[in-house]
Amino acid sequence: MKTSLTWLNEYLDNAIDLHPKAVSDLAEKVERTSVEVDSNTTIASGQNGLVVAKILSVIPHPDSDHMVITQVDAGEPEPIQIVTGAPNVAEGQMVILAKVGAHIINRENGELIELNAVKLRGELSYGMLVALQEIGFSDKIAPKAFEAGIYVFNETDDVKPGDDALVALGMNEPVLDTDLTPNRADMLSMIGTAYEFGAMLNKPVTLPSFELVEYEKTADSQVAVQIDDQELVSKYALRVVNNVTIKDSPLWLQKRLWNAGMRPINNIVDITNYMMLTYGQPLHAFDLDKLNGSDIYVRRAKDGEKLITLDGEERSLRSGEDIVIADESEGLMLAGVMGGLGSEIDNNTKNIVIESAIFNPSLVRATARRHNLHSEASSRFERGLNWDETLNVLDHAASLVDELADGQVARGQIVAADDVRKDIRLSLSTQRVNDILGTSLETDEIANIFDELNFVYEKDGEKIVVDVPARRADISIEADLIEEVARLYGYDNLPVTLPYGPTTPGKLSRQQRQIRASRHIMESLGLNQAISYVLTTSEKSQLFAEDKADGVVTLNYPMSSDRTTARQNLLAGLLDDVSYNVSHFVPNVALYEQGRVFIANEPNEQPKEIEHIAGVVTGNLQKSSWQKSKQEKAVDFYDIKGIVESYLDQIGVDNVRYVATERHENMHPGQTADIYIGEQYAGFVGQIHPKVKKKQKLAPVFGFELNLFTVFDHVIDGIHFNPISRFPQISRDAALLVDQAITNSEISATILETAGKHLVDVTLFDVYTGENLPEGKKSLAYTLTYQDSDGTLIETDVNSDFEYIMSELQSKFNVEIR
């Protein structure tokens, strides 16, 4: 929130020193005690040479059809000649003059430029008449558009020729822009901020005063309120003011608004914004004569209901969830968020209704998010308001309308809801404070801090019972009071102690080490790490899920329609990454991702989180060139299977089996295998089904996904290395004629199970299917390698072992030895 220290001083009896060095010291103290300070600035930003001037005469420029020559009184002995093209310049106006030698902000780059006397079409101009946008005001806060011309003071503004324009406009007022945490709703108001600064400076707070004069006409004879559901609103009250005159606000009010970052609009709207800034209580004003009927309804939105808000956008309201303030035929505003265009205050408004309320904060927050309409009002309703000020603010606003808009305040408030706030009384002992903070404070010292905070309390020996004020919605438990004591006492003053007790060296857990090793292995195998969104669509979340009967984890308030559901697999996100790369002319892709997937548990239970690792490859492993005789080689099933085998081997898992399967509907039925470690399922590997990648028009994509919890359960803790034998090897070749249905893995497994202790390797070096073979047969050729680490093998031992293996193959698979 932007806080003008000049304005704040009114509530602190000018206790704040406005000298730049003192303001910087104050900003530092605020950061150490309360909230962060984003900036400490003024709108002036180093500008000078700007004065108030009165236009004495205006004559046409002899050589231009859009410029005029003016003589202005700037408080100097002689008038100053200014040539200007401003469309709204007129004799008798009080305007802003940038004199020769003045420094003003360049709108293009924000740098300061110095003005010199210039000739414009042959006529000398000794300065420049300026619009607010030309001296540092943004379009967001300037009351008039830049194209409308120069800024003109109102007749009622207390300015005279020669006055410093920076002072007159409040541009020299120091403004602290504080970055408030969600719990400090009290500092979204000047009074709440005054209490905070008063506590830091040990100064009392002077609350604003006003006098309300009511006229004979009653409010309840002009309007009534009906609330359909008491859950929607805790407090709701109206004031009616008749015969108002819509005009610009006086300069003092405009200054307060634009220094707070708000744009002045007209006196009625400005008063409601001024009250919101002062008390933190949003108000809204309706044009009474634009209402259909005399009843105002507080209700939920109806089916198909639409509302055009003040920003000109038509909003489709959500039935039963959005709170609507309506008349008998249509909505008037989106409660707590923004008013409606149909009841807007305009120049023809004569009678107004001012609304003050405390709406259900949860419903207001949901509405603001749903419509992407976060306003100054909604930010306050969401955080919580001061229940003690809701009706008082309404009276203060009505008195200002009487003063600044010549209105007549109708007699009586219309109070439709006025729930009583539950008092919060907290007990705090001196011993407890000192135990938590490590201090040795006395009870009176703690009580003095509550005096500075302007909290009401009672002392009972070493115990203090505090009545938490309504403005401090962030205080609800004992720890909150202790925090107040700590920050006002000064965090820098708390005693510093070193930690004590046994120390242990920091290290990664076993699972963390395994995850880190998994990443290193994948990168060593040529895959790059990808990080995909955890949230995705419902369809993608289950695209490669093992069991689609598992419940999905969905968000109540998703960021967008593409981020509604927590993922149950990693492959879907990697496919999006592949598609993105290929569409950006990167055809050869090798990616992996390690992360968690989420499976829903029973209602009201946290979802189950499982660590997974997945990878994808597509394109070519090898490019052709004039230096290489081989042509390009596209990736295939064996490449991705080799990556999985290498990973599992390096991570320390053995006894891995690959079983061909067709059960994964989004994987190619002829090129997919389930992965088992022993008898436990760990994941799958294969080609992504062409139907999945059809829309992206991708080349064949191969992928795998593994459950890391399963993998880690089978990691061998200690890796044992056998010494390399220094004795020679003996090999035997065997060509086997087998049925087509028999697989290499079955043959290899039988050889390893049957062989003696000296067999060290089995290699399939040839597969033949074709001519000269019986129908339904194929030829598999193997090399069996023998070696002994303790001595030279004898031919007879190898021959006997080899013959035994062959006999077992013949009996088990009916193979024919060729």
Side-chain angles (χ1 to χ4, degrees):
M1 177 175 170
K2 296 181 182 296
T3 304
S4 167
L5 298 184
T6 302
W7 180 5
L8 194 65
N9 250 340
E10 292 188 7
Y11 308 129
L12 295 173
D13 195 24
N14 294 316
I16 301 175
D17 186 350
L18 300 183
H19 187 275
K21 177 62 169 64
V23 172
S24 295
D25 293 341
L26 176 63
E28 183 182 352
K29 187 172 185 178
V30 171
E31 286 195 314
R32 285 189 282 107
T33 307
S34 184
V35 295
E36 290 188 18
V37 177
D38 279 346
S39 63
N40 166 22
T41 60
T42 66
I43 300 179
S45 299
Q47 298 179 109
N48 56 42
L50 298 167
V51 298
V52 177
K54 182 176 182 179
I55 298 179
L56 302 176
S57 65
V58 179
I59 61 173
H61 192 293
D63 196 24
S64 173
D65 57 359
H66 70 278
M67 287 193 290
V68 295
I69 302 172
T70 66
Q71 301 294 323
V72 302
D73 177 8
E76 299 181 359
E78 299 293 331
I80 300 174
Q81 178 171 297
I82 304 294
V83 179
T84 180
N88 63 328
V89 65
E91 186 177 320
Q93 292 174 335
M94 300 292 284
V95 296
I96 305 169
L97 169 65
K99 301 194 296 184
V100 171
H103 294 88
I104 64 173
I105 290 178
N106 185 333
R107 293 190 74 228
E108 300 298 327
N109 54 28
E111 297 179 356
L112 290 176
I113 57 174
E114 183 176 340
L115 291 186
N116 299 309
V118 295
K119 271 191 176 183
L120 298 174
R121 295 288 182 91
E123 297 292 335
L124 277 170
S125 181
Y126 297 95
M128 175 182 174
L129 305 183
V130 297
L132 293 181
Q133 289 89 335
E134 293 174 300
I135 54 174
F137 282 70
S138 68
D139 291 329
K140 178 183 175 182
I141 64 173
K144 305 294 181 184
F146 177 67
E147 291 75 15
I150 59 176
Y151 180 77
V152 180
F153 291 95
N154 292 323
E155 293 181 359
T156 56
D157 293 339
D158 185 19
V159 294
K160 63 183 185 298
D163 285 351
D164 188 333
L166 297 177
V167 175
L169 296 170
M171 296 175 63
N172 63 333
E173 295 182 11
V175 175
L176 295 186
D177 191 357
T178 53
D179 185 12
L180 303 181
T181 51
N183 63 313
R184 292 308 303 267
D186 58 305
M187 293 188 69
L188 283 170
S189 68
M190 293 299 294
I191 291 177
T193 304
Y195 278 116
E196 184 67 17
F197 280 48
M200 287 186 286
L201 301 173
N202 196 18
K203 295 293 181 182
V205 175
T206 302
L207 296 178
S209 61
F210 61 91
E211 182 179 354
L212 178 65
V213 177
E214 294 182 317
Y215 289 72
E216 291 301 320
K217 196 171 184 178
T218 60
D220 56 12
S221 66
Q222 302 179 68
V223 68
V225 179
Q226 296 187 31
I227 299 176
D228 289 356
D229 185 350
Q230 293 298 325
E231 183 186 354
L232 303 180
V233 61
S234 303
K235 283 178 174 281
Y236 193 87
L238 302 176
R239 272 282 186 186
V240 177
V241 185
N242 302 113
N243 301 319
V244 300
T245 301
I246 306 300
K247 55 187 176 182
D248 288 339
S249 297
L251 184 58
W252 68 264
L253 178 51
Q254 294 192 52
K255 286 194 296 187
R256 294 194 169 180
L257 292 179
W258 60 50
N259 273 315
M262 302 188 74
R263 181 168 64 91
I265 297 174
N266 59 51
N267 51 357
I268 301 301
V269 176
D270 293 351
I271 287 170
T272 61
N273 287 332
Y274 175 51
M275 291 291 94
M276 178 179 69
L277 293 172
T278 303
Y279 294 95
Q281 170 69 57
L283 302 178
H284 187 72
F286 305 98
D287 188 324
L288 177 60
D289 299 321
K290 292 180 180 179
L291 304 185
N292 293 312
S294 59
D295 286 344
I296 290 179
Y297 298 86
V298 182
R299 58 171 174 79
R300 298 179 187 268
K302 300 177 181 178
D303 288 337
E305 187 170 9
K306 297 181 183 296
L307 175 67
I308 301 177
T309 47
L310 287 172
D311 58 2
E313 295 289 330
E314 184 179 68
R315 312 280 175 178
S316 296
L317 307 185
R318 181 170 291 186
S319 174
E321 297 189 32
D322 291 330
I323 309 175
V324 177
I325 310 301
D327 59 21
E328 294 179 358
S329 61
E330 62 182 1
L332 302 175
M333 71 173 292
L334 204 51
V337 180
M338 185 174 284
L341 198 61
S343 58
E344 179 186 21
I345 303 295
D346 57 34
N347 291 334
N348 298 317
T349 297
K350 289 298 178 185
N351 303 295
I352 64 170
V353 178
I354 307 174
E355 168 198 89
S356 182
I358 297 181
F359 296 109
N360 185 310
S362 298
L363 294 178
V364 171
R365 181 175 182 270
T367 295
R369 292 194 59 178
R370 185 160 45 246
H371 297 282
N372 193 25
L373 194 59
H374 300 278
S375 61
E376 292 282 350
S378 69
S379 67
R380 288 166 170 81
F381 280 115
E382 291 171 17
R383 288 171 167 83
L385 305 179
N386 184 349
W387 283 49
D388 290 348
E389 295 292 355
T390 306
L391 305 183
N392 180 58
V393 176
L394 194 57
D395 286 345
H396 194 169
S399 72
L400 283 174
V401 174
D402 184 358
E403 176 186 348
L404 304 181
D406 306 320
Q408 299 175 349
V409 181
R411 186 172 299 278
Q413 283 186 353
I414 301 173
V415 180
D418 190 12
D419 292 354
V420 177
R421 171 181 172 269
K422 183 179 179 180
D423 291 336
I424 300 176
R425 290 176 63 88
L426 300 176
S427 179
L428 188 68
S429 71
T430 302
Q431 184 65 40
R432 177 66 171 165
V433 172
N434 289 327
D435 287 346
I436 295 295
L437 301 182
T439 53
S440 55
L441 295 171
E442 300 292 338
T443 303
D444 287 342
E445 292 179 276
I446 298 174
N448 287 338
I449 290 175
F450 292 135
D451 284 331
E452 293 170 0
L453 289 164
N454 206 38
F455 287 4
V456 176
Y457 63 88
E458 296 176 358
K459 285 194 298 183
D460 181 11
E462 290 194 350
K463 183 181 291 185
I464 301 176
V465 180
V466 179
D467 292 316
V468 179
R471 70 175 185 274
R472 291 301 301 273
D474 59 309
I475 299 178
S476 58
I477 59 177
E478 178 195 66
D480 296 329
L481 287 180
I482 296 175
E483 182 182 10
E484 294 298 296
V485 173
R487 66 187 189 84
L488 268 299
Y489 177 70
Y491 292 122
D492 295 343
N493 297 324
L494 297 179
V496 178
T497 59
L498 293 173
Y500 60 90
T503 59
T504 57
K507 63 178 181 179
L508 298 176
S509 67
R510 179 174 184 269
Q511 187 182 102
Q512 288 172 328
R513 293 196 303 273
Q514 290 171 329
I515 288 175
R516 182 169 293 186
S518 297
R519 293 174 181 169
H520 290 165
I521 293 169
M522 285 297 168
E523 287 159 12
S524 71
L525 293 172
L527 279 69
N528 295 312
Q529 185 180 19
I531 300 176
S532 303
Y533 284 105
V534 172
L535 298 176
T536 181
T537 64
S538 178
E539 179 186 4
K540 289 182 180 179
S541 72
Q542 293 188 296
L543 197 60
F544 298 97
E546 289 300 330
D547 187 356
K548 293 192 176 181
D550 291 334
V552 296
V553 181
T554 58
L555 274 66
N556 289 333
Y557 300 105
M559 297 182 292
S560 68
S561 59
D562 294 333
R563 305 280 178 254
T564 61
T565 311
R567 65 189 179 190
Q568 290 189 347
N569 68 92
L570 302 181
L571 266 181
L574 288 173
L575 280 181
D576 287 341
D577 298 336
V578 169
S579 178
Y580 177 86
N581 279 276
V582 171
S583 66
H584 287 74
F585 309 104
V586 182
N588 303 323
V589 181
L591 299 173
Y592 82 92
E593 180 170 10
Q594 173 271 316
R596 295 202 170 187
V597 301
F598 301 83
I599 308 298
N601 276 326
E602 296 297 322
N604 301 321
E605 289 187 14
Q606 291 295 323
K608 181 165 59 177
E609 301 182 26
I610 305 173
E611 206 75 48
H612 274 211
I613 193 166
V616 289
V617 292
T618 187
N620 297 316
L621 284 181
Q622 176 179 298
K623 294 182 179 181
S624 62
S625 73
W626 66 273
Q627 293 175 310
K628 298 177 182 178
S629 59
K630 294 182 179 179
Q631 298 299 310
E632 291 185 348
K633 179 185 180 301
V635 295
D636 57 23
F637 171 82
Y638 297 102
D639 293 317
I640 193 69
K641 180 172 178 284
I643 290 172
V644 175
E645 288 178 333
S646 296
Y647 164 70
L648 292 175
D649 180 58
Q650 293 186 53
I651 201 68
V653 175
D654 59 9
N655 196 17
V656 179
R657 295 186 296 116
Y658 298 86
V659 180
T661 182
E662 297 181 3
R663 71 184 186 88
H664 301 278
E665 63 175 308
N666 293 309
M667 300 296 292
H668 194 295
Q671 296 191 43
T672 302
D674 282 335
I675 304 170
Y676 290 88
I677 304 175
E679 297 302 320
Q680 188 171 0
Y681 175 77
F684 61 91
V685 60
Q687 182 180 347
I688 308 300
H689 200 293
K691 70 179 183 181
V692 176
K693 58 186 179 60
K694 183 177 180 181
K695 292 182 180 179
Q696 288 87 2
K697 298 180 180 180
L698 300 174
V701 180
F702 298 86
F704 71 87
E705 184 149 353
L706 294 171
N707 183 328
L708 283 183
F709 288 163
T710 302
V711 172
F712 295 160
D713 285 343
H714 292 82
V715 170
I716 301 171
D717 287 333
I719 299 176
H720 301 280
F721 295 93
N722 293 321
I724 299 174
S725 176
R726 57 191 178 92
F727 300 101
Q729 295 178 339
I730 296 177
S731 62
R732 291 287 184 268
D733 291 343
L736 309 176
L737 189 65
V738 300
D739 292 337
Q740 287 278 9
I742 297 175
T743 63
N744 166 60
S745 62
E746 293 175 305
I747 299 292
S748 297
T750 300
I751 293 173
L752 292 171
E753 291 171 2
T754 309
K757 63 179 181 179
H758 298 311
L759 181 68
V760 294
D761 184 59
V762 178
T763 302
L764 174 67
F765 67 86
D766 185 55
V767 178
Y768 177 74
T769 57
E771 298 179 359
N772 303 321
L773 290 181
E775 185 177 353
K777 297 288 185 176
K778 62 183 177 182
S779 175
L780 304 179
Y782 293 88
T783 296
L784 282 64
T785 304
Y786 293 86
Q787 189 177 32
D788 188 355
S789 58
D790 298 324
T792 302
L793 283 174
I794 302 173
E795 288 280 347
T796 56
D797 292 338
V798 173
N799 291 338
S800 62
D801 186 82
F802 181 76
E803 289 171 1
Y804 179 70
I805 293 171
M806 294 301 108
S807 65
E808 286 294 316
L809 291 174
Q810 286 174 323
S811 63
K812 187 172 183 179
F813 299 109
N814 194 28
V815 304
E816 180 181 338
I817 312 298
R818 302 181 69 195

